[in-house]
């Protein structure tokens, strides 16, 4: 099952670096890219990705405001991206899967993605197990 990713980053070169690095991974589907808070909320609600790379300081709304505005049941895993370490504590308080400080290396990005992919697969496997258990209980 492919990991569905949204890249919400207002810096074009950082957005391209994320896209290029993820393009080298197997089982990744990039469902969209955006550069401001308003569009990020729209695309998150439209595509309901498994993972979002979310710049903290975006035009229209910061990354924390974006997460508060979401009106979807299944929240995506979030890897926050920032030029500053100052927001890291708050990011982990709201459940960040990881935190990248720009400029980040390709290796650091891959590490963050692979750790988060494991968590996503665990969530997906848990959902499949629940469905299977429910189905088997109905057969009993």
């Amino acid at each position: 099952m492919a990991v569905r990713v949204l890249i919400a980053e207002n810096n074009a070169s950082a957005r391209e670096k994320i896209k290029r690095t993820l393009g080298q991974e197997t089982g990744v589907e990039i469902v969209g890219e955006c550069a401001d808070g308003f569009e990020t909320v729209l695309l998150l609600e439209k595509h309901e990705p498994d993972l979002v790379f979310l710049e903290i300081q975006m035009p229209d709304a910061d990354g924390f405001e974006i997460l508060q505005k979401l009106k979807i049941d299944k929240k995506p895993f979030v890897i926050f991206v920032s030029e500053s370490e100052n927001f890291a504590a708050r990011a982990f308080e709201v459940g960040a899967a990881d935190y990248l400080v720009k400029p980040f290396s390709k290796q650091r990005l891959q590490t963050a993605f692979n750790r988060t992919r494991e968590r996503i697969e665990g969530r997906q496997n848990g959902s499949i197990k629940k469905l299977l258990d429910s189905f088997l209980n109905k057969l009993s």
Side-chain angles (χ1 to χ4, degrees), residues 7-11 15 33-37 39-40 43 58-60:
I7 303 170
E9 168 63 65
N10 61 331
N11 179 297
R15 193 170 56 244
E33 298 176 48
C34 43
D36 65 59
E39 186 178 18
T40 300
L43 291 180
M58 302 258 291
D60 301 333

Side-chain angles (χ1 to χ4, degrees), residues 59-73:
D60 301 333
D62 70 32
F64 303 111
E65 293 169 332
I66 290 167
L67 294 178
Q68 290 174 343
K69 291 179 181 186
L70 287 181
K71 295 178 180 139
I72 54 177
D73 293 330

Side-chain angles (χ1 to χ4, degrees), residues 49-113:
D50 302 306
L51 170 62
V52 58
F53 283 85
L54 182 58
E55 166 64 55
I56 290 180
Q57 296 172 302
M58 302 258 291
D60 301 333
D62 70 32
F64 303 111
E65 293 169 332
I66 290 167
L67 294 178
Q68 290 174 343
K69 291 179 181 186
L70 287 181
K71 295 178 180 139
I72 54 177
D73 293 330
K74 183 181 158 194
K75 303 284 188 202
F77 284 92
V78 178
I79 296 177
F80 280 106
V81 182
S82 179
E83 292 177 350
S84 171
E85 295 176 358
N86 295 341
F87 303 103
R90 185 170 176 205
F92 287 108
E93 286 172 4
V94 299
D98 213 320
Y99 191 94
L100 297 174
V101 178
K102 294 187 267 187
F104 48 83
S105 68
K106 177 182 172 183
Q107 181 179 2
R108 177 68 183 97
L109 173 61
Q110 288 172 319
T111 299
F113 173 74

Side-chain angles (χ1 to χ4, degrees), residues 119-138:
R119 293 177 65 189
I120 292 166
E121 289 171 351
R123 177 197 283 177
Q124 290 170 343
N125 291 339
S127 296
I128 291 169
K129 184 181 180 329
K130 286 178 187 176
L131 287 171
L132 183 59
D133 288 347
S134 175
F135 175 73
L136 292 174
N137 284 336
K138 289 179 182 177

